[in-house]
Amino acid sequence: MATPIIGLDAGHGLKTPGKRTPDGIHEWTLNDKVRDKVVKILADYDCEIIHTDGDEGKTDESLSSRLSTYMNKGCAAFVSIHHNANTGKRNNATGVEIFTDNKPTARDNKLAECIYDRLVKYTGMKRRGIKKKDFYVINQDRIAAVLVEGGFMDGKEDYKYITSDAGQTA
């Protein structure tokens, strides 16, 4: 049996407009730290990890290019790692959520449930649910794919946690 390939995406590149904490940390920086921790965890398993953005964040691949890469490489699963924002100014928004596309496959749903249950368990953050939305990068049915929102970059409590090593590890 072939080694499964998992696509991990650190959301947005450093040059993506907006996508920052109120004090200027780029979302990509937070996403990349989480992705790097996931890669370390998955190193103990028989799988190959690929991603389309470089570790320096300078390459902000188009969504179509990302999706094509993951599909052409034969990924078994794809996870796009993000952090949410509400108003862009400090607020009380909190929690984690996962998105499938509007017509999720059984594999999409299973992947979403597995990640969501563990994300809530290990972070202790508020449950915002598993939701459906047609984000371009997960809107296909060949690979199990989800988009994870791991807390609010502008939420007072979430910010403290998601910028900490413990929060990023969880």
Side-chain angles (χ1 to χ4, degrees):
M1 186 165 142
T3 300
I5 301 170
I6 299 173
L8 294 175
D9 186 299
H12 307 281
L14 283 170
K15 296 178 182 175
T16 303
K19 313 299 182 197
R20 290 170 180 68
T21 65
D23 60 349
I25 298 171
H26 293 258
E27 180 184 354
W28 178 87
T29 302
L30 298 172
N31 301 345
D32 184 60
K33 288 180 180 183
V34 171
R35 184 197 56 212
D36 288 349
K37 291 179 182 297
V38 172
V39 168
K40 284 182 185 175
I41 291 167
L42 292 176
D44 291 338
Y45 297 88
D46 183 25
C47 62
E48 178 185 344
I49 307 297
I50 63 168
H51 53 88
T52 55
D53 56 329
D55 282 329
E56 70 288 335
K58 293 177 183 171
T59 303
D60 193 2
E61 293 287 333
S62 72
L63 298 178
S64 62
S65 174
R66 292 173 195 215
L67 184 56
S68 292
T69 297
Y70 297 127
M71 290 175 66
N72 291 338
K73 295 282 184 176
C75 287
F78 166 65
V79 179
S80 189
I81 300 167
H82 292 260
H83 288 83
N84 225 334
N86 185 16
T87 64
K89 297 182 183 341
R90 292 279 178 244
N91 61 72
N92 293 319
T94 187
V96 295
E97 57 194 356
I98 294 189
F99 290 90
T100 64
D101 67 358
N102 279 334
K103 296 178 183 173
T105 65
R107 293 175 306 144
D108 294 334
N109 287 331
K110 176 91 171 158
L111 180 62
E113 290 165 11
C114 287
I115 294 172
Y116 186 68
D117 289 344
R118 286 159 182 84
L119 186 60
V120 170
K121 176 183 175 182
Y122 293 119
T123 65
M125 296 174 82
K126 177 183 174 184
R127 292 176 165 269
R128 293 180 56 88
I130 297 173
K131 301 175 179 181
K132 297 176 184 177
K133 191 165 184 176
D134 278 333
F135 289 119
Y136 184 88
V137 76
I138 61 169
N139 191 15
Q140 49 72 42
D141 61 5
R142 282 184 33 202
I143 347 172
V146 297
L147 186 142
V148 176
E149 293 281 7
F152 281 80
M153 298 185 300
D154 54 2
K156 292 174 192 170
E157 293 304 311
D158 285 9
Y159 173 85
K160 292 178 200 172
Y161 193 60
I162 66 177
T163 57
S164 72
D165 186 64
Q168 293 164 0
T169 300

mmCIF file of all heavy atoms in Angstrom, residues 55-106:
data_model
loop_
_atom_site.group_PDB
_atom_site.id
_atom_site.type_symbol
_atom_site.label_atom_id
_atom_site.label_comp_id
_atom_site.label_asym_id
_atom_site.label_seq_id
_atom_site.Cartn_x
_atom_site.Cartn_y
_atom_site.Cartn_z
ATOM 1 N N ASP A 55 8.366 27.952 3.814
ATOM 2 C CA ASP A 55 8.439 28.218 5.250
ATOM 3 C C ASP A 55 8.702 29.684 5.569
ATOM 4 O O ASP A 55 8.589 30.092 6.716
ATOM 5 C CB ASP A 55 9.514 27.344 5.906
ATOM 6 C CG ASP A 55 9.023 25.921 6.108
ATOM 7 O OD1 ASP A 55 7.814 25.738 6.314
ATOM 8 O OD2 ASP A 55 9.857 25.005 6.060
ATOM 9 N N GLU A 56 9.039 30.473 4.558
ATOM 10 C CA GLU A 56 9.272 31.889 4.808
ATOM 11 C C GLU A 56 8.019 32.722 4.524
ATOM 12 O O GLU A 56 7.986 33.905 4.813
ATOM 13 C CB GLU A 56 10.450 32.393 3.966
ATOM 14 C CG GLU A 56 10.180 32.472 2.482
ATOM 15 C CD GLU A 56 10.086 31.137 1.741
ATOM 16 O OE1 GLU A 56 10.671 30.145 2.213
ATOM 17 O OE2 GLU A 56 9.414 31.088 0.700
ATOM 18 N N GLY A 57 6.985 32.123 3.954
ATOM 19 C CA GLY A 57 5.726 32.814 3.714
ATOM 20 C C GLY A 57 5.713 33.772 2.545
ATOM 21 O O GLY A 57 4.726 34.452 2.296
ATOM 22 N N LYS A 58 6.785 33.823 1.808
ATOM 23 C CA LYS A 58 6.873 34.793 0.711
ATOM 24 C C LYS A 58 6.058 34.376 -0.501
ATOM 25 O O LYS A 58 5.673 35.197 -1.317
ATOM 26 C CB LYS A 58 8.334 35.014 0.322
ATOM 27 C CG LYS A 58 9.109 35.698 1.418
ATOM 28 C CD LYS A 58 10.561 35.859 1.061
ATOM 29 C CE LYS A 58 11.312 36.485 2.226
ATOM 30 N NZ LYS A 58 12.753 36.472 2.024
ATOM 31 N N THR A 59 5.804 33.091 -0.629
ATOM 32 C CA THR A 59 5.027 32.590 -1.752
ATOM 33 C C THR A 59 3.574 32.456 -1.321
ATOM 34 O O THR A 59 3.252 31.690 -0.431
ATOM 35 C CB THR A 59 5.548 31.208 -2.202
ATOM 36 O OG1 THR A 59 6.922 31.327 -2.535
ATOM 37 C CG2 THR A 59 4.770 30.704 -3.392
ATOM 38 N N ASP A 60 2.720 33.238 -1.947
ATOM 39 C CA ASP A 60 1.283 33.147 -1.674
ATOM 40 C C ASP A 60 0.636 32.559 -2.921
ATOM 41 O O ASP A 60 0.197 33.277 -3.812
ATOM 42 C CB ASP A 60 0.721 34.527 -1.344
ATOM 43 C CG ASP A 60 -0.684 34.446 -0.746
ATOM 44 O OD1 ASP A 60 -1.199 33.335 -0.550
ATOM 45 O OD2 ASP A 60 -1.264 35.508 -0.476
ATOM 46 N N GLU A 61 0.692 31.244 -2.996
ATOM 47 C CA GLU A 61 0.157 30.543 -4.165
ATOM 48 C C GLU A 61 -1.329 30.847 -4.339
ATOM 49 O O GLU A 61 -2.056 30.973 -3.360
ATOM 50 C CB GLU A 61 0.333 29.033 -3.994
ATOM 51 C CG GLU A 61 1.750 28.552 -4.004
ATOM 52 C CD GLU A 61 2.376 28.590 -5.380
ATOM 53 O OE1 GLU A 61 1.648 28.485 -6.390
ATOM 54 O OE2 GLU A 61 3.602 28.735 -5.448
ATOM 55 N N SER A 62 -1.759 30.916 -5.569
ATOM 56 C CA SER A 62 -3.183 31.121 -5.830
ATOM 57 C C SER A 62 -3.961 29.915 -5.306
ATOM 58 O O SER A 62 -3.412 28.814 -5.171
ATOM 59 C CB SER A 62 -3.432 31.288 -7.330
ATOM 60 O OG SER A 62 -3.257 30.045 -7.991
ATOM 61 N N LEU A 63 -5.223 30.132 -5.021
ATOM 62 C CA LEU A 63 -6.048 29.037 -4.511
ATOM 63 C C LEU A 63 -6.157 27.918 -5.535
ATOM 64 O O LEU A 63 -6.106 26.739 -5.186
ATOM 65 C CB LEU A 63 -7.428 29.556 -4.120
ATOM 66 C CG LEU A 63 -7.448 30.601 -3.010
ATOM 67 C CD1 LEU A 63 -8.876 31.073 -2.751
ATOM 68 C CD2 LEU A 63 -6.806 30.077 -1.747
ATOM 69 N N SER A 64 -6.281 28.278 -6.816
ATOM 70 C CA SER A 64 -6.389 27.240 -7.851
ATOM 71 C C SER A 64 -5.095 26.446 -7.955
ATOM 72 O O SER A 64 -5.118 25.228 -8.140
ATOM 73 C CB SER A 64 -6.782 27.841 -9.198
ATOM 74 O OG SER A 64 -5.810 28.752 -9.640
ATOM 75 N N SER A 65 -3.955 27.109 -7.815
ATOM 76 C CA SER A 65 -2.667 26.415 -7.853
ATOM 77 C C SER A 65 -2.522 25.466 -6.662
ATOM 78 O O SER A 65 -2.050 24.341 -6.814
ATOM 79 C CB SER A 65 -1.531 27.437 -7.859
ATOM 80 O OG SER A 65 -0.285 26.780 -7.764
ATOM 81 N N ARG A 66 -2.932 25.928 -5.493
ATOM 82 C CA ARG A 66 -2.863 25.071 -4.295
ATOM 83 C C ARG A 66 -3.707 23.817 -4.501
ATOM 84 O O ARG A 66 -3.236 22.704 -4.296
ATOM 85 C CB ARG A 66 -3.385 25.813 -3.066
ATOM 86 C CG ARG A 66 -2.527 26.945 -2.618
ATOM 87 C CD ARG A 66 -3.207 27.703 -1.507
ATOM 88 N NE ARG A 66 -2.558 28.988 -1.303
ATOM 89 C CZ ARG A 66 -2.413 29.557 -0.138
ATOM 90 N NH1 ARG A 66 -2.882 28.979 0.936
ATOM 91 N NH2 ARG A 66 -1.827 30.719 -0.039
ATOM 92 N N LEU A 67 -4.944 24.036 -4.898
ATOM 93 C CA LEU A 67 -5.858 22.916 -5.073
ATOM 94 C C LEU A 67 -5.334 21.953 -6.138
ATOM 95 O O LEU A 67 -5.342 20.735 -5.930
ATOM 96 C CB LEU A 67 -7.248 23.434 -5.438
ATOM 97 C CG LEU A 67 -8.355 22.402 -5.559
ATOM 98 C CD1 LEU A 67 -8.494 21.576 -4.292
ATOM 99 C CD2 LEU A 67 -9.669 23.090 -5.899
ATOM 100 N N SER A 68 -4.845 22.478 -7.249
ATOM 101 C CA SER A 68 -4.294 21.621 -8.309
ATOM 102 C C SER A 68 -3.120 20.796 -7.795
ATOM 103 O O SER A 68 -3.016 19.602 -8.085
ATOM 104 C CB SER A 68 -3.825 22.465 -9.496
ATOM 105 O OG SER A 68 -4.910 23.042 -10.143
ATOM 106 N N THR A 69 -2.243 21.417 -7.030
ATOM 107 C CA THR A 69 -1.084 20.695 -6.488
ATOM 108 C C THR A 69 -1.537 19.535 -5.624
ATOM 109 O O THR A 69 -1.068 18.404 -5.781
ATOM 110 C CB THR A 69 -0.175 21.640 -5.674
ATOM 111 O OG1 THR A 69 0.336 22.631 -6.562
ATOM 112 C CG2 THR A 69 0.972 20.881 -5.021
ATOM 113 N N TYR A 70 -2.444 19.795 -4.697
ATOM 114 C CA TYR A 70 -2.891 18.733 -3.781
ATOM 115 C C TYR A 70 -3.610 17.614 -4.528
ATOM 116 O O TYR A 70 -3.425 16.439 -4.221
ATOM 117 C CB TYR A 70 -3.770 19.312 -2.679
ATOM 118 C CG TYR A 70 -3.018 20.286 -1.806
ATOM 119 C CD1 TYR A 70 -3.492 21.556 -1.569
ATOM 120 C CD2 TYR A 70 -1.790 19.942 -1.241
ATOM 121 C CE1 TYR A 70 -2.780 22.460 -0.784
ATOM 122 C CE2 TYR A 70 -1.079 20.831 -0.465
ATOM 123 C CZ TYR A 70 -1.576 22.084 -0.238
ATOM 124 O OH TYR A 70 -0.870 22.972 0.531
ATOM 125 N N MET A 71 -4.381 17.976 -5.522
ATOM 126 C CA MET A 71 -5.092 16.948 -6.286
ATOM 127 C C MET A 71 -4.119 16.172 -7.175
ATOM 128 O O MET A 71 -4.187 14.949 -7.258
ATOM 129 C CB MET A 71 -6.216 17.582 -7.093
ATOM 130 C CG MET A 71 -7.343 18.077 -6.168
ATOM 131 S SD MET A 71 -8.663 18.971 -6.979
ATOM 132 C CE MET A 71 -9.383 17.727 -7.988
ATOM 133 N N ASN A 72 -3.205 16.865 -7.843
ATOM 134 C CA ASN A 72 -2.256 16.203 -8.742
ATOM 135 C C ASN A 72 -1.262 15.316 -8.000
ATOM 136 O O ASN A 72 -0.782 14.333 -8.554
ATOM 137 C CB ASN A 72 -1.512 17.226 -9.594
ATOM 138 C CG ASN A 72 -2.422 17.899 -10.603
ATOM 139 O OD1 ASN A 72 -3.468 17.376 -10.966
ATOM 140 N ND2 ASN A 72 -2.041 19.093 -11.037
ATOM 141 N N LYS A 73 -0.942 15.663 -6.765
ATOM 142 C CA LYS A 73 -0.020 14.854 -5.958
ATOM 143 C C LYS A 73 -0.712 13.646 -5.356
ATOM 144 O O LYS A 73 -0.085 12.797 -4.752
ATOM 145 C CB LYS A 73 0.602 15.686 -4.831
ATOM 146 C CG LYS A 73 1.499 16.805 -5.313
ATOM 147 C CD LYS A 73 2.845 16.270 -5.722
ATOM 148 C CE LYS A 73 3.764 17.419 -6.100
ATOM 149 N NZ LYS A 73 5.097 16.995 -6.417
ATOM 150 N N GLY A 74 -2.028 13.576 -5.489
ATOM 151 C CA GLY A 74 -2.769 12.426 -4.982
ATOM 152 C C GLY A 74 -2.946 12.425 -3.478
ATOM 153 O O GLY A 74 -2.917 11.357 -2.839
ATOM 154 N N CYS A 75 -3.139 13.601 -2.902
ATOM 155 C CA CYS A 75 -3.319 13.680 -1.442
ATOM 156 C C CYS A 75 -4.538 12.864 -1.005
ATOM 157 O O CYS A 75 -5.570 12.857 -1.674
ATOM 158 C CB CYS A 75 -3.511 15.126 -1.005
ATOM 159 S SG CYS A 75 -2.006 16.102 -1.062
ATOM 160 N N ALA A 76 -4.384 12.203 0.125
ATOM 161 C CA ALA A 76 -5.505 11.486 0.731
ATOM 162 C C ALA A 76 -6.365 12.461 1.522
ATOM 163 O O ALA A 76 -7.566 12.256 1.684
ATOM 164 C CB ALA A 76 -4.988 10.388 1.652
ATOM 165 N N ALA A 77 -5.727 13.521 2.042
ATOM 166 C CA ALA A 77 -6.434 14.526 2.832
ATOM 167 C C ALA A 77 -5.720 15.867 2.683
ATOM 168 O O ALA A 77 -4.523 15.923 2.432
ATOM 169 C CB ALA A 77 -6.487 14.117 4.299
ATOM 170 N N PHE A 78 -6.498 16.917 2.868
ATOM 171 C CA PHE A 78 -5.962 18.267 2.801
ATOM 172 C C PHE A 78 -6.577 19.097 3.923
ATOM 173 O O PHE A 78 -7.795 19.076 4.122
ATOM 174 C CB PHE A 78 -6.283 18.901 1.448
ATOM 175 C CG PHE A 78 -6.057 20.383 1.416
ATOM 176 C CD1 PHE A 78 -4.779 20.905 1.567
ATOM 177 C CD2 PHE A 78 -7.112 21.256 1.262
ATOM 178 C CE1 PHE A 78 -4.569 22.278 1.558
ATOM 179 C CE2 PHE A 78 -6.909 22.624 1.240
ATOM 180 C CZ PHE A 78 -5.634 23.132 1.396
ATOM 181 N N VAL A 79 -5.719 19.804 4.666
ATOM 182 C CA VAL A 79 -6.183 20.664 5.753
ATOM 183 C C VAL A 79 -5.601 22.056 5.552
ATOM 184 O O VAL A 79 -4.384 22.221 5.475
ATOM 185 C CB VAL A 79 -5.757 20.113 7.134
ATOM 186 C CG1 VAL A 79 -6.226 21.036 8.251
ATOM 187 C CG2 VAL A 79 -6.287 18.690 7.343
ATOM 188 N N SER A 80 -6.478 23.031 5.456
ATOM 189 C CA SER A 80 -6.066 24.420 5.343
ATOM 190 C C SER A 80 -6.172 25.045 6.736
ATOM 191 O O SER A 80 -7.257 25.103 7.319
ATOM 192 C CB SER A 80 -6.963 25.161 4.344
ATOM 193 O OG SER A 80 -6.450 26.450 4.082
ATOM 194 N N ILE A 81 -5.047 25.484 7.272
ATOM 195 C CA ILE A 81 -4.962 25.977 8.650
ATOM 196 C C ILE A 81 -5.084 27.497 8.658
ATOM 197 O O ILE A 81 -4.324 28.186 7.983
ATOM 198 C CB ILE A 81 -3.632 25.540 9.296
ATOM 199 C CG1 ILE A 81 -3.553 24.012 9.313
ATOM 200 C CG2 ILE A 81 -3.475 26.126 10.692
ATOM 201 C CD1 ILE A 81 -2.174 23.463 9.645
ATOM 202 N N HIS A 82 -6.036 27.988 9.442
ATOM 203 C CA HIS A 82 -6.306 29.428 9.521
ATOM 204 C C HIS A 82 -6.558 29.840 10.964
ATOM 205 O O HIS A 82 -6.748 29.004 11.836
ATOM 206 C CB HIS A 82 -7.560 29.786 8.710
ATOM 207 C CG HIS A 82 -7.390 29.623 7.244
ATOM 208 N ND1 HIS A 82 -7.146 30.674 6.404
ATOM 209 C CD2 HIS A 82 -7.413 28.512 6.456
ATOM 210 C CE1 HIS A 82 -7.042 30.229 5.164
ATOM 211 N NE2 HIS A 82 -7.191 28.916 5.175
ATOM 212 N N HIS A 83 -6.611 31.152 11.154
ATOM 213 C CA HIS A 83 -7.076 31.749 12.405
ATOM 214 C C HIS A 83 -8.103 32.800 12.028
ATOM 215 O O HIS A 83 -7.927 33.533 11.057
ATOM 216 C CB HIS A 83 -5.916 32.340 13.206
ATOM 217 C CG HIS A 83 -5.052 31.282 13.802
ATOM 218 N ND1 HIS A 83 -4.048 30.661 13.091
ATOM 219 C CD2 HIS A 83 -5.072 30.713 15.020
ATOM 220 C CE1 HIS A 83 -3.478 29.746 13.860
ATOM 221 N NE2 HIS A 83 -4.073 29.766 15.031
ATOM 222 N N ASN A 84 -9.143 32.864 12.788
ATOM 223 C CA ASN A 84 -10.294 33.695 12.484
ATOM 224 C C ASN A 84 -10.090 35.150 12.890
ATOM 225 O O ASN A 84 -9.181 35.466 13.651
ATOM 226 C CB ASN A 84 -11.507 33.139 13.241
ATOM 227 C CG ASN A 84 -12.743 33.060 12.396
ATOM 228 O OD1 ASN A 84 -12.890 33.802 11.435
ATOM 229 N ND2 ASN A 84 -13.645 32.167 12.764
ATOM 230 N N ALA A 85 -10.943 36.030 12.409
ATOM 231 C CA ALA A 85 -10.979 37.428 12.834
ATOM 232 C C ALA A 85 -12.431 37.881 12.836
ATOM 233 O O ALA A 85 -13.237 37.400 12.042
ATOM 234 C CB ALA A 85 -10.154 38.301 11.903
ATOM 235 N N ASN A 86 -12.736 38.774 13.725
ATOM 236 C CA ASN A 86 -14.096 39.292 13.828
ATOM 237 C C ASN A 86 -14.138 40.732 13.340
ATOM 238 O O ASN A 86 -14.486 40.994 12.204
ATOM 239 C CB ASN A 86 -14.584 39.161 15.276
ATOM 240 C CG ASN A 86 -16.017 39.558 15.471
ATOM 241 O OD1 ASN A 86 -16.769 39.661 14.511
ATOM 242 N ND2 ASN A 86 -16.419 39.799 16.690
ATOM 243 N N THR A 87 -13.717 41.668 14.168
ATOM 244 C CA THR A 87 -13.789 43.088 13.812
ATOM 245 C C THR A 87 -12.449 43.675 13.395
ATOM 246 O O THR A 87 -12.395 44.768 12.856
ATOM 247 C CB THR A 87 -14.307 43.919 14.997
ATOM 248 O OG1 THR A 87 -13.353 43.834 16.065
ATOM 249 C CG2 THR A 87 -15.662 43.426 15.470
ATOM 250 N N GLY A 88 -11.353 42.974 13.702
ATOM 251 C CA GLY A 88 -10.028 43.513 13.439
ATOM 252 C C GLY A 88 -9.494 44.334 14.601
ATOM 253 O O GLY A 88 -8.324 44.667 14.651
ATOM 254 N N LYS A 89 -10.367 44.646 15.548
ATOM 255 C CA LYS A 89 -9.970 45.328 16.780
ATOM 256 C C LYS A 89 -10.235 44.365 17.931
ATOM 257 O O LYS A 89 -11.036 43.441 17.798
ATOM 258 C CB LYS A 89 -10.792 46.606 16.975
ATOM 259 C CG LYS A 89 -10.570 47.643 15.888
ATOM 260 C CD LYS A 89 -11.384 48.885 16.188
ATOM 261 C CE LYS A 89 -11.338 49.975 15.192
ATOM 262 N NZ LYS A 89 -10.402 50.160 14.230
ATOM 263 N N ARG A 90 -9.575 44.543 19.061
ATOM 264 C CA ARG A 90 -9.783 43.642 20.205
ATOM 265 C C ARG A 90 -11.267 43.535 20.518
ATOM 266 O O ARG A 90 -11.988 44.529 20.559
ATOM 267 C CB ARG A 90 -9.041 44.150 21.445
ATOM 268 C CG ARG A 90 -7.549 44.073 21.297
ATOM 269 C CD ARG A 90 -7.048 42.653 21.585
ATOM 270 N NE ARG A 90 -5.612 42.618 21.390
ATOM 271 C CZ ARG A 90 -4.995 41.903 20.481
ATOM 272 N NH1 ARG A 90 -5.678 41.119 19.680
ATOM 273 N NH2 ARG A 90 -3.692 41.925 20.362
ATOM 274 N N ASN A 91 -11.717 42.303 20.738
ATOM 275 C CA ASN A 91 -13.128 42.041 21.022
ATOM 276 C C ASN A 91 -13.242 40.752 21.823
ATOM 277 O O ASN A 91 -12.228 40.177 22.228
ATOM 278 C CB ASN A 91 -13.903 41.973 19.702
ATOM 279 C CG ASN A 91 -13.399 40.865 18.805
ATOM 280 O OD1 ASN A 91 -13.614 39.687 19.071
ATOM 281 N ND2 ASN A 91 -12.687 41.237 17.738
ATOM 282 N N ASN A 92 -14.439 40.281 22.016
ATOM 283 C CA ASN A 92 -14.665 39.078 22.814
ATOM 284 C C ASN A 92 -14.938 37.830 21.981
ATOM 285 O O ASN A 92 -15.369 36.816 22.520
ATOM 286 C CB ASN A 92 -15.822 39.316 23.800
ATOM 287 C CG ASN A 92 -15.460 40.348 24.843
ATOM 288 O OD1 ASN A 92 -14.336 40.356 25.347
ATOM 289 N ND2 ASN A 92 -16.398 41.226 25.164
ATOM 290 N N ALA A 93 -14.704 37.888 20.682
ATOM 291 C CA ALA A 93 -14.920 36.714 19.821
ATOM 292 C C ALA A 93 -14.010 35.591 20.288
ATOM 293 O O ALA A 93 -12.858 35.809 20.665
ATOM 294 C CB ALA A 93 -14.636 37.063 18.368
ATOM 295 N N THR A 94 -14.540 34.383 20.257
ATOM 296 C CA THR A 94 -13.752 33.250 20.741
ATOM 297 C C THR A 94 -14.225 31.948 20.098
ATOM 298 O O THR A 94 -15.361 31.839 19.650
ATOM 299 C CB THR A 94 -13.841 33.140 22.286
ATOM 300 O OG1 THR A 94 -12.949 32.130 22.741
ATOM 301 C CG2 THR A 94 -15.249 32.826 22.758
ATOM 302 N N GLY A 95 -13.331 30.995 20.043
ATOM 303 C CA GLY A 95 -13.709 29.654 19.631
ATOM 304 C C GLY A 95 -13.061 29.160 18.358
ATOM 305 O O GLY A 95 -12.406 29.904 17.631
ATOM 306 N N VAL A 96 -13.240 27.871 18.147
ATOM 307 C CA VAL A 96 -12.698 27.193 16.975
ATOM 308 C C VAL A 96 -13.839 26.629 16.140
ATOM 309 O O VAL A 96 -14.902 26.298 16.658
ATOM 310 C CB VAL A 96 -11.724 26.051 17.374
ATOM 311 C CG1 VAL A 96 -10.500 26.608 18.062
ATOM 312 C CG2 VAL A 96 -12.400 25.011 18.255
ATOM 313 N N GLU A 97 -13.604 26.545 14.846
ATOM 314 C CA GLU A 97 -14.595 25.968 13.944
ATOM 315 C C GLU A 97 -13.880 25.341 12.759
ATOM 316 O O GLU A 97 -12.730 25.664 12.472
ATOM 317 C CB GLU A 97 -15.607 27.019 13.484
ATOM 318 C CG GLU A 97 -15.012 28.221 12.806
ATOM 319 C CD GLU A 97 -15.989 29.383 12.675
ATOM 320 O OE1 GLU A 97 -17.169 29.238 13.037
ATOM 321 O OE2 GLU A 97 -15.564 30.436 12.200
ATOM 322 N N ILE A 98 -14.582 24.435 12.130
ATOM 323 C CA ILE A 98 -14.034 23.757 10.949
ATOM 324 C C ILE A 98 -15.074 23.835 9.849
ATOM 325 O O ILE A 98 -16.278 23.723 10.098
ATOM 326 C CB ILE A 98 -13.679 22.291 11.270
ATOM 327 C CG1 ILE A 98 -12.536 22.271 12.270
ATOM 328 C CG2 ILE A 98 -13.331 21.524 9.994
ATOM 329 C CD1 ILE A 98 -11.937 20.934 12.534
ATOM 330 N N PHE A 99 -14.578 24.017 8.632
ATOM 331 C CA PHE A 99 -15.456 24.093 7.478
ATOM 332 C C PHE A 99 -15.199 22.948 6.516
ATOM 333 O O PHE A 99 -14.049 22.593 6.256
ATOM 334 C CB PHE A 99 -15.233 25.413 6.721
ATOM 335 C CG PHE A 99 -15.720 26.613 7.461
ATOM 336 C CD1 PHE A 99 -14.884 27.292 8.325
ATOM 337 C CD2 PHE A 99 -17.027 27.052 7.303
ATOM 338 C CE1 PHE A 99 -15.334 28.407 9.024
ATOM 339 C CE2 PHE A 99 -17.486 28.163 7.995
ATOM 340 C CZ PHE A 99 -16.637 28.840 8.857
ATOM 341 N N THR A 100 -16.294 22.403 6.012
ATOM 342 C CA THR A 100 -16.272 21.537 4.831
ATOM 343 C C THR A 100 -16.917 22.382 3.733
ATOM 344 O O THR A 100 -17.434 23.471 3.998
ATOM 345 C CB THR A 100 -17.107 20.252 5.040
ATOM 346 O OG1 THR A 100 -18.487 20.613 5.210
ATOM 347 C CG2 THR A 100 -16.621 19.448 6.236
ATOM 348 N N ASP A 101 -16.945 21.867 2.505
ATOM 349 C CA ASP A 101 -17.674 22.607 1.488
ATOM 350 C C ASP A 101 -19.178 22.368 1.677
ATOM 351 O O ASP A 101 -19.586 21.638 2.584
ATOM 352 C CB ASP A 101 -17.177 22.276 0.078
ATOM 353 C CG ASP A 101 -17.473 20.855 -0.360
ATOM 354 O OD1 ASP A 101 -18.034 20.069 0.418
ATOM 355 O OD2 ASP A 101 -17.135 20.522 -1.508
ATOM 356 N N ASN A 102 -20.001 22.983 0.844
ATOM 357 C CA ASN A 102 -21.458 22.880 1.018
ATOM 358 C C ASN A 102 -22.013 21.491 0.742
ATOM 359 O O ASN A 102 -23.114 21.173 1.177
ATOM 360 C CB ASN A 102 -22.183 23.901 0.128
ATOM 361 C CG ASN A 102 -22.202 25.275 0.763
ATOM 362 O OD1 ASN A 102 -22.143 25.417 1.980
ATOM 363 N ND2 ASN A 102 -22.278 26.302 -0.069
ATOM 364 N N LYS A 103 -21.261 20.686 -0.007
ATOM 365 C CA LYS A 103 -21.697 19.317 -0.305
ATOM 366 C C LYS A 103 -20.581 18.361 0.107
ATOM 367 O O LYS A 103 -19.932 17.739 -0.738
ATOM 368 C CB LYS A 103 -22.011 19.166 -1.795
ATOM 369 C CG LYS A 103 -23.171 20.030 -2.246
ATOM 370 C CD LYS A 103 -23.409 19.887 -3.728
ATOM 371 C CE LYS A 103 -24.518 20.822 -4.168
ATOM 372 N NZ LYS A 103 -24.678 20.843 -5.615
ATOM 373 N N PRO A 104 -20.360 18.229 1.425
ATOM 374 C CA PRO A 104 -19.229 17.418 1.883
ATOM 375 C C PRO A 104 -19.432 15.926 1.588
ATOM 376 O O PRO A 104 -20.552 15.424 1.625
ATOM 377 C CB PRO A 104 -19.195 17.666 3.383
ATOM 378 C CG PRO A 104 -20.601 18.030 3.744
ATOM 379 C CD PRO A 104 -21.138 18.768 2.542
ATOM 380 N N THR A 105 -18.321 15.277 1.293
ATOM 381 C CA THR A 105 -18.343 13.830 1.149
ATOM 382 C C THR A 105 -18.293 13.216 2.556
ATOM 383 O O THR A 105 -18.010 13.915 3.542
ATOM 384 C CB THR A 105 -17.124 13.334 0.345
ATOM 385 O OG1 THR A 105 -15.944 13.616 1.106
ATOM 386 C CG2 THR A 105 -17.055 13.990 -1.031
ATOM 387 N N ALA A 106 -18.505 11.931 2.631
ATOM 388 C CA ALA A 106 -18.390 11.243 3.928
ATOM 389 C C ALA A 106 -16.968 11.399 4.471
ATOM 390 O O ALA A 106 -16.771 11.561 5.683
ATOM 391 C CB ALA A 106 -18.757 9.767 3.768
#
